[in-house]
Amino acid sequence: MQTRKRRFTDQEFDIMVEQLTVQKPASFDMLCEIADRTLHGWVITECRNDIDLQGRDLEEDIYHDVLIRLIQKSVTDFLLNDGHPGTINRDPDGFKSWMFTVAKNLIRDSATRVRNGDFRCRGFLED
């Protein structure tokens, strides 16, 4: 099985780490750039292929939810979450995998919300 190449460089990852952990106030510019290159097209495709989400034009909203979650959680749930207090997780390949996990979970949660909403409406209209 061939692994897809990262769409960001080690240097860009290092810039992101610096912007998120050292720079005051923190900057999310490189994080958003990395997420855009890595996830945007994939999220759109996954949403369009999901039976509960397709045809609802929610792709961009879900992608923006992914960006917000990455902004909220990148430092606490990835960069500082390696089990060694005070050290930063400097694994760009791991970060790529983590971003996809975050995106998959948000797409799944969005599909579940839509499906549950459809079920409630259908039940209401049928009664």
Side-chain angles (χ1 to χ4, degrees):
M1 182 173 140
Q2 185 177 3
T3 305
R4 284 184 130 176
K5 184 177 181 265
R6 266 191 283 125
R7 294 185 179 215
F8 59 95
T9 65
D10 289 348
Q11 293 80 13
E12 290 168 329
F13 179 78
D14 290 340
I15 290 168
M16 181 199 72
V17 170
E18 177 84 11
Q19 288 179 345
L20 294 176
T21 61
V22 176
Q23 187 173 318
K24 301 293 181 216
S27 171
F28 303 100
D29 294 342
M30 188 55 72
L31 171 62
C32 291
E33 176 70 26
I34 287 171
D36 195 51
R37 274 192 257 148
T38 304
L39 295 174
H40 187 254
W42 183 84
V43 168
I44 301 302
T45 300
E46 289 296 305
C47 289
R48 288 181 179 162
N49 290 333
D50 185 281
I51 194 162
D52 295 312
L53 297 174
Q54 59 188 211
R56 296 178 187 260
D57 294 325
L58 296 173
E59 300 90 355
E60 290 295 332
D61 291 338
I62 293 169
Y63 174 69
H64 286 113
D65 289 345
V66 170
L67 275 180
I68 290 167
R69 183 69 52 89
L70 292 174
I71 288 168
Q72 291 172 330
K73 300 293 186 174
S74 288
V75 173
T76 57
D77 289 7
F78 183 82
L79 295 177
L80 298 179
N81 191 21
D82 65 355
H84 297 55
T87 60
I88 294 175
N89 185 355
R90 295 188 179 270
D91 177 10
D93 292 323
F95 185 70
K96 175 189 162 201
S97 295
W98 179 80
M99 287 193 307
F100 275 101
T101 299
V102 169
K104 285 177 198 173
N105 289 340
L106 281 168
I107 291 168
R108 185 196 64 229
D109 293 349
S110 297
T112 299
R113 269 194 307 280
V114 166
R115 186 174 49 257
N116 289 343
D118 286 352
F119 180 74
R120 279 193 286 280
C121 288
R122 194 170 35 248
F124 176 75
L125 295 174
E126 290 172 358
D127 288 344

